[in-house]
């Protein structure tokens, strides 16, 4: 389809496939990670073969090699600090449960060089990994339903030693430059949305603790951003919420000194160390856009790092003083750039066609002003068929960044509305933390307010409204179809929560902890809250045709609870279609992604005029 929704193809030489499909097939690369002590060695993710896999890159020679080749793809990997090894997580068909592998840098997917990195540890869900600079040990976070969270120290040629255990969620934050300190993020207090910090020695003995959870009505989170990259330096860069949003501070874990950095920026602020430890690379996110700054710790000078308007989804400060960053906007596809000028990685092959820019809508809602991002076909006049693409998370937010899915709907003549409802990140702690107890219902109040605005403004045709989303967005789609049955013409739910009680029983342990935080307890402790927030409760009220896609190995939104919901639809003959695929919480295979979106487009076009 063309950008105006008329059947056509792109004008690129030799290309006969639809524009929307080209956006999925065009080669993409992630921001390259580089080895701390061998910065010429890098690791990145690409879809060059049609599946997202890991690639090594020797910048000195220019050689790039595909490291992994698995049927359902691989994206979870890292380099050892000395650049000698590539580590990657090996699960089964997207179930996220597995073991760490490693292979020499420069080896390829077909070389047979991969080996189990930690043979003394049983499979688990991953919960962080830190590798010592001298290669003598690894710190490994694990999560299982039986053990909860554990952290092990594994020395070369020795068995793993457990240095931490707790039923609640926890994980490895970072390892100090000299390997003498380990930072742990934990939720021992029972609030999975607000972590506290603990620093220990490799033998597990305690060094320091930091906890901003007040135990009252206001709880504040902390996150590990990284130890200073200097031997013997005990400074830990930490994210905190003490002024109502995420900001960085420097915590000296030896002296206890805390230096909060008020940079005068209005949005959420994160940071990472520059390689010599004298400055920070600062990422600032505000109202769905982001930008970069450099902050000098000595003089307190804040200097902008030039980036185009849009979204920076990752950045790193290189030893030569340059900054590499992954940038895109809703209209322009992602590209890895450098402040030295030019593109860092430019994969061969077709280029992803551009889309249309977003416009901002601010709508008054029951909990305050709601920010929505709107795209529509160029030159189109409303009212238009409109799809509300609801983001997942829920602690996430839509931004002015390129996304092939929304662009495809624009190609097919739809307006696209994306709502950063209460519960979304990027708008302050209170906005994010509003999502408790009335789970799902709060977000849908905000979506309803934006829906009313879209209709009243003339953008959206009230008879041709599609509610759609994946993961948490899929959950909100099913819940919205049942609680707002007259508002939507079609529902499209990918990997959703459909029956919350069964989902809780079957999901991975870390998500059980999150659900207990959101609802204030388990289904046995607060059954009324789970019932009020479960799509299954309202399934008999659903009027719109429903399309559901689900991964049969999904540990986050397991298949059994989706089957329960579908059985209820089928029992009363409600119009619905279900597509099951052999993967987990989404797919890393390009053909599969195209197939799934094609099925959604076809379903919507059959049920929306």
């Amino acid at each position: 389809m063309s950008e105006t929704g008329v059947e056509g193809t792109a004008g690129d030489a030799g290309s006969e496939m639809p524009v929307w499909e080209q956006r999925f097939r065009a080669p993409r690369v992630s921001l390259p990670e580089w080895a701390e002590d061998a910065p010429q060695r890098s690791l990145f993710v690409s879809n060059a073969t049609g599946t997202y896999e890991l690639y090594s890159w020797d910048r000195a020679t220019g050689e790039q090699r595909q490291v992994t080749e698995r049927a359902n793809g691989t994206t979870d990997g890292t380099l050892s600090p000395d650049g000698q090894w590539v580590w990657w997580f090996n699960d089964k068909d997207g179930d996220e449960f597995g073991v760490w592998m490693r292979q020499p840098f420069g080896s390829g997917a077909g070389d047979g060089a991969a080996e189990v990195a930690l043979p003394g540890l049983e499979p688990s869900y991953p919960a962080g990994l830190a590798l010592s600079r001298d290669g003598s040990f690894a710190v490994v976070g694990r999560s299982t339903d039986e053990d909860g969270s554990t952290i092990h120290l594994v020395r070369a040629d020795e068995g793993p030693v457990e240095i931490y255990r707790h039923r609640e969620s926890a994980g490895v934050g970072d390892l100090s430059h000299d390997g003498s300190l380990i930072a742990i993020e934990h939720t021992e207090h029972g609030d999975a949305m607000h972590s506290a910090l603990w620093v220990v020695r490799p033998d597990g003995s305690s060094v320091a603790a930091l906890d901003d959870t007040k135990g009252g009505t206001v709880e504040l989170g902390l996150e590990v951003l990284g130890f200073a990259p200097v031997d013997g330096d005990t400074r830990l860069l930490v994210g905190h919420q003490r002024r109502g949003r995420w900001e960085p501070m420097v915590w000296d874990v030896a002296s206890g000194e805390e230096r909060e950095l008020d940079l005068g920026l209005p949005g959420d602020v994160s940071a990472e160390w520059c390689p010599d430890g004298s400055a920070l690379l600062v990422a600032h996110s505000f109202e769905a856009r982001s930008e970069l700054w450099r902050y000098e710790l000595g003089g307190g000078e804040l200097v902008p790092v030039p980036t185009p308007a849009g979204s920076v989804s990752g950045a790193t400060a290189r030893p030569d003083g340059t900054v590499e960053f992954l940038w895109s906007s809703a209209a322009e596809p992602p590209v890895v750039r450098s402040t030295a000028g030019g593109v860092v990685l430019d994969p061969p092959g077709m280029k992803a066609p551009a889309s249309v820019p977003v416009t901002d809508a601010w709508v008054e809602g029951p909990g305050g002003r709601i920010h929505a991002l709107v795209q529509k076909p160029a030159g189109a006049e409303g009212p238009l068929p409109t799809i509300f693409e609801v983001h997942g998370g829920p602690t996430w937010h839509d931004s002015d960044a390129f996304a092939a899915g929304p662009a495809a709907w624009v190609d097919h003549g739809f307006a696209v509305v994306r709502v950063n409802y209460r519960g979304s990140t990027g708008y302050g702690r209170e906005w994010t933390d509003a999502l408790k107890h009335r789970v799902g219902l709060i977000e849908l109040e905000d979506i309803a307010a934006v829906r009313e605005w879209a209709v009243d403004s003339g953008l959206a045709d009230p008879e041709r409204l599609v509610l759609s989303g994946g993961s948490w967005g899929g959950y909100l789609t099913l819940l919205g179809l049942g609680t707002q049955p007259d508002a939507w013409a079609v529902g499209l739910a990918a990997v959703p929560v459909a029956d919350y009680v069964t989902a809780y029983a079957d999901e991975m342990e870390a998500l059980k902890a999150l659900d207990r935080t959101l609802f204030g307890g388990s289904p046995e402790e607060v059954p009324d809250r789970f019932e009020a927030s479960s799509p299954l409760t309202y399934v008999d009220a659903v009027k719109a045709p429903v399309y559901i896609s689900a991964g049969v190995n999904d540990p986050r939104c397991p298949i059994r609870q989706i089957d329960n919901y579908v059985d209820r639809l089928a029992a009363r003959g409600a119009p619905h279609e279900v597509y099951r695929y052999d993967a987990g919480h989404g797919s890393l295979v390009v053909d599969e992604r195209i197939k799934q979106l094609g099925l959604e487009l076809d379903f919507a076009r059959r049920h929306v005029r």
Side-chain angles (χ1 to χ4, degrees), residues 384-402:
L384 298 169
T386 300
I387 181 168
F388 278 67
E389 278 275 13
V390 184
H391 72 72
T395 50
W396 188 252
H397 67 271
D398 280 314
S399 60
D400 183 6
F402 194 79

Side-chain angles (χ1 to χ4, degrees), residues 184-187 189 194-198 210-213 221-222:
I184 297 172
E185 290 186 8
H186 70 84
T187 59
H189 48 281
H194 301 96
S195 294
L197 307 183
W198 189 27
L210 193 62
D211 188 348
D212 278 6
T213 60
L222 298 167

Side-chain angles (χ1 to χ4, degrees), residues 193 223 246 268 285 288 290 311-314 326 328 371 373 389-403 406 418-428 431-433 435 443 470-473 476 514 518:
M193 294 180 68
E223 63 176 345
W246 285 107
D268 283 344
S285 175
S290 52
S311 293
V312 176
S313 55
L326 180 61
S328 72
H371 190 196
L373 302 174
E389 278 275 13
V390 184
H391 72 72
T395 50
W396 188 252
H397 67 271
D398 280 314
S399 60
D400 183 6
F402 194 79
R418 291 179 284 169
V419 181
N420 284 330
Y421 49 75
R422 278 173 291 169
S424 303
T425 56
Y427 300 87
W431 190 259
T432 302
D433 288 357
L435 180 57
E443 304 97 293
S471 189
W472 195 265
L476 293 177
L514 175 61
L518 291 174

Side-chain angles (χ1 to χ4, degrees), residues 76-419:
D76 195 356
T78 191
L79 288 172
S80 60
D82 61 7
Q84 296 298 310
W85 295 92
V86 178
W87 289 57
W88 53 273
F89 193 75
N90 184 25
D91 66 348
K92 183 180 179 181
D93 295 328
D95 67 359
E96 303 181 41
F97 195 85
V99 298
W100 284 100
M101 308 291 289
R102 72 171 191 171
Q103 62 194 76
F105 184 92
S107 63
D111 295 350
E115 63 184 25
V116 175
L118 307 162
L121 289 177
E122 294 296 317
S124 68
Y125 298 110
L129 173 72
L131 305 174
S132 66
R133 291 175 63 216
D134 62 5
S136 65
F137 69 91
V139 184
V140 188
R142 305 171 66 252
S143 173
T144 66
D145 293 343
E146 296 78 17
D147 297 332
S149 300
T150 58
I151 295 176
H152 292 77
L153 188 137
V154 186
R155 296 191 181 276
D157 301 322
E158 295 181 17
V161 177
E162 184 180 293
I163 62 173
Y164 178 90
R165 174 183 290 262
H166 202 276
R167 280 305 312 172
E168 298 291 346
S169 297
V172 178
D174 197 22
L175 178 66
S176 65
H177 201 250
D178 59 9
S180 65
L181 300 169
I182 301 165
I184 297 172
E185 290 186 8
H186 70 84
T187 59
E188 294 180 5
H189 48 281
D191 183 348
M193 294 180 68
H194 301 96
S195 294
L197 307 183
W198 189 27
V199 177
V200 301
R201 299 180 183 88
D203 63 4
S205 60
S206 179
V207 174
L210 193 62
D211 188 348
D212 278 6
T213 60
K214 306 300 182 182
T217 57
V218 178
E219 294 190 336
L220 309 176
L222 298 167
E223 63 176 345
V224 172
L225 301 178
F227 278 106
V230 179
D231 273 349
D233 198 326
T234 56
R235 293 176 299 165
L236 179 63
L237 190 61
V238 171
H240 71 90
Q241 296 179 301
R242 295 173 180 177
R243 284 187 286 268
R245 54 195 172 86
W246 285 107
E247 295 177 284
M249 73 173 177
V250 178
W251 174 36
D252 189 322
V253 302
S255 69
E257 179 187 0
E258 300 174 16
R259 179 185 173 188
E260 297 180 13
L261 304 176
D262 185 357
L263 305 184
L265 300 172
D268 283 344
V269 179
S270 186
E272 68 170 47
W273 295 97
C274 291
D276 64 358
S278 67
L280 303 177
L281 177 61
V282 173
H284 174 230
S285 175
F286 184 58
E287 296 183 352
R289 277 87 180 176
S290 52
E291 58 187 1
L292 299 176
W293 301 78
R294 178 185 171 96
Y295 180 73
E296 300 292 340
L297 287 165
E301 184 181 9
L302 186 66
V303 180
V305 176
T307 59
S311 293
V312 176
S313 55
T316 183
R318 295 275 296 166
D320 61 4
T322 62
V323 173
E324 295 176 354
F325 57 94
L326 180 61
W327 172 90
S328 72
S329 70
E332 296 297 327
V335 60
V336 180
R337 297 185 179 275
S338 170
T339 53
V343 175
V344 176
L345 275 175
D346 188 13
M350 73 173 77
K351 304 303 179 186
S355 185
V356 297
V358 295
T359 58
D360 298 86
W362 290 92
V363 179
E364 290 298 329
R369 287 206 315 159
I370 308 161
H371 190 196
L373 302 174
V374 180
Q375 290 172 280
K376 64 178 183 178
E381 298 293 334
L384 298 169
T386 300
I387 181 168
F388 278 67
E389 278 275 13
V390 184
H391 72 72
T395 50
W396 188 252
H397 67 271
D398 280 314
S399 60
D400 183 6
F402 194 79
W409 287 99
V410 174
D411 293 347
H412 286 77
F414 283 75
V416 179
V417 179
R418 291 179 284 169
V419 181

